[in-house]
Amino acid sequence: MTVTKQPAQAADTAPPQLRRFSFNPREGGIYVAFALIVVLFTVLTNGVLLEPQNISNIIVQNSYVLILAMGMMLIIIAGHIDLSVGSVVAVCGALCAVLTVNMGMPWLPALLITLVAGAVIGAWQGYWVAYFGIPAFIVTLAGMLAFRALTLTVLGNQGIGPFPEAIRTLSNGFTDGYLGNIGLGPLGGADLVSLLAGVAGVAAIVFVQWRQRKARLGYLQQVDPFGVFVLKVGGASLVVLAVVIQLARFKNLPWVLVLLTVLVLGYTLIANRSVFGRHIYAIGGNKQAAELSGVKVKSVTFWIFVNMGVLAALAGVIFAGRLNQAGPTAGTAFELDAIAAAFIGGAAVQGGVGKVVGAVTGGLIMAVINNGMSLLGAPSERVMLVKGLVLLAAVAYDIWTKKRAVS
């Protein structure tokens, strides 16, 4: 009896294939839309939108939305919603004002106490959602009313201020020009430290992308051709460097931008590289399957609400410091801005999909629309109309791409 040997499978040793240029409309559409919106308002405002001072204003004036959007994205990925963040912003800003202004407490202990208070608020709501089983919509709707009432009880009909210099600097201040300015030809002078920070950021982007490409090649996965890879990384690097140069020409880097950068990097690592982050996606994708796989669904749900409370407290301090006053109406409709930023940034209505960078991009889209239409002198009702249509279009686009993928 003759035995014929089968040829060995070459799949394990096959070289990685280079794919043609591909575009994922679900993931990449948000960045294309952002670029088109920036170009549109740059043309309509005759370039004023991209002036150094205006770019700085966009970042500083909308920092609280970006902070809230990062936490809201994690909440939505897990399949929940938080309607109370605006009221939590208000009550935590009021608490910080009472501690620093009325009681004369140093700013750092007051800030830490405020963040702990935000964590307690998040734990309170997270308990009812995770362990008692009440839908997050109901729990946070009750929280929105309760914490707004608490803010009015603490402040009455008047604000408390002014805040200490350190908190105002965190909200509105800029890094010092430690090494002076450097000439940039027709662009004038720019802060050297800010430029070095921009170069370091570009180097980090190139290193991370190159490392990911190398890892995929090691696992014999498909990657973009080298030329396409260079174009993608080079485009992102040029955008980052251009923004940093404009900021360096004005008043250096805003401190709140430094804070946002740290938060974005930290939450991106948590969402994409940690077990906790993978559990969040698993819960949003299929809660029952996650439970059967050993994911501690209740614990994860509890902690994402604690995290949301801390970020809302931080946003409350930033917002109050920017206005130099904690007012009873602070935080009004902030929850809508944060939710809109998350959905515009690619979060799926059903949960399980979304990125922290996408939430920040969605927040920046809202910020550019607000700023651009303000520069054009548009009335507030028209701004609200445009933002509503953009939100509807983003969700409709998400559903359309999902149906197209299934079909």
Side-chain angles (χ1 to χ4, degrees):
M1 179 176 182
T2 304
V3 178
T4 304
K5 293 184 178 180
Q6 297 294 332
Q9 296 293 331
D12 294 336
T13 58
Q17 297 179 354
L18 296 181
R19 62 190 178 196
R20 295 180 179 179
F21 176 77
S22 60
F23 176 75
N24 188 332
R26 187 169 186 179
E27 294 183 0
I30 178 64
Y31 306 108
V32 174
F34 181 46
L36 293 176
I37 290 173
V38 170
V39 171
L40 173 64
F41 281 107
T42 300
V43 173
L44 294 178
T45 60
N46 296 320
V48 176
L49 181 76
L50 297 182
E51 289 292 326
Q53 182 176 357
N54 195 62
I55 293 178
S56 180
N57 289 338
I58 290 175
I59 296 172
V60 172
Q61 293 174 4
N62 296 276
S63 57
Y64 62 89
V65 175
L66 303 182
I67 293 173
L68 294 174
M70 284 184 268
M72 189 65 71
M73 177 61 86
L74 298 182
I75 294 282
I76 293 175
I77 289 174
H80 300 288
I81 202 74
D82 192 340
L83 301 178
S84 68
V85 292
S87 297
V88 178
V89 164
V91 73
C92 289
L95 174 61
C96 187
V98 170
L99 293 175
T100 55
V101 179
N102 292 355
M103 300 177 61
M105 183 179 293
W107 72 273
L108 185 56
L111 175 61
L112 295 177
I113 292 174
T114 303
L115 295 180
V116 171
V120 171
I121 292 173
W124 165 260
Q125 299 191 125
Y127 167 78
W128 292 108
V129 175
Y131 295 102
F132 209 80
I134 302 177
F137 182 89
I138 301 300
V139 173
T140 57
L141 178 60
M144 179 178 70
L145 301 174
F147 297 124
R148 179 64 63 181
L150 184 58
T151 304
L152 295 174
T153 301
V154 173
L155 296 179
N157 293 322
Q158 58 184 1
I160 299 178
F163 275 82
E165 179 66 24
I167 292 181
R168 296 202 305 270
T169 299
L170 177 62
S171 304
N172 290 320
F174 299 85
T175 57
D176 295 327
Y178 302 104
L179 301 179
N181 285 5
I182 184 174
L184 295 177
L187 296 178
D191 176 53
L192 181 57
V193 172
S194 301
L195 295 177
L196 292 176
V199 172
V202 169
I205 292 174
V206 174
F207 173 76
V208 171
Q209 294 299 318
W210 175 259
R211 186 176 179 182
Q212 290 180 354
R213 175 183 172 86
K214 187 176 180 181
R216 289 172 180 170
L217 288 172
Y219 286 105
L220 303 180
Q221 296 178 352
Q222 285 189 335
V223 295
D224 291 321
F226 185 74
V228 176
F229 170 78
V230 171
L231 287 176
K232 288 183 176 180
V233 175
S237 301
L238 287 176
V239 171
V240 171
L241 198 57
V243 171
V244 171
I245 289 175
Q246 292 294 77
L247 293 175
R249 293 174 58 203
F250 179 53
K251 289 184 179 179
N252 310 337
L253 298 178
W255 276 113
V256 74
L257 176 60
V258 177
L259 174 63
L260 285 170
T261 302
V262 173
L263 290 175
V264 170
L265 292 176
Y267 279 98
T268 299
L269 289 175
I270 291 173
N272 299 338
R273 300 292 181 180
S274 71
V275 175
F276 182 78
R278 297 182 186 277
H279 286 177
I280 295 175
Y281 282 98
I283 293 172
N286 191 320
K287 182 179 178 181
Q288 289 73 24
E291 288 179 340
L292 295 175
S293 300
V295 176
K296 298 180 180 178
V297 175
K298 294 181 179 180
S299 176
V300 173
T301 302
F302 175 81
W303 284 110
I304 60 175
F305 277 94
V306 172
N307 173 74
M308 187 72 257
V310 173
L311 290 180
L314 179 60
V317 174
I318 296 295
F319 183 74
R322 188 174 74 84
L323 298 182
N324 202 20
Q325 185 182 58
T329 60
T332 302
F334 282 12
E335 61 277 351
L336 302 182
D337 289 336
I339 293 170
F343 281 122
I344 292 173
V349 178
Q350 298 83 1
V353 176
K355 293 184 178 180
V356 173
V357 176
V360 174
T361 305
L364 289 175
I365 287 178
M366 302 285 285
V368 170
I369 291 175
N370 281 330
N371 182 266
M373 298 194 71
S374 175
L375 293 175
L376 295 174
S380 59
E381 61 270 17
R382 191 176 302 170
V383 177
M384 295 173 63
L385 174 63
V386 171
K387 290 167 62 176
L389 293 176
V390 170
L391 174 59
L392 179 62
V395 176
Y397 180 77
D398 173 72
I399 295 176
W400 174 75
T401 54
K402 183 178 296 184
K403 290 182 177 179
R404 182 182 178 186
V406 171
S407 62

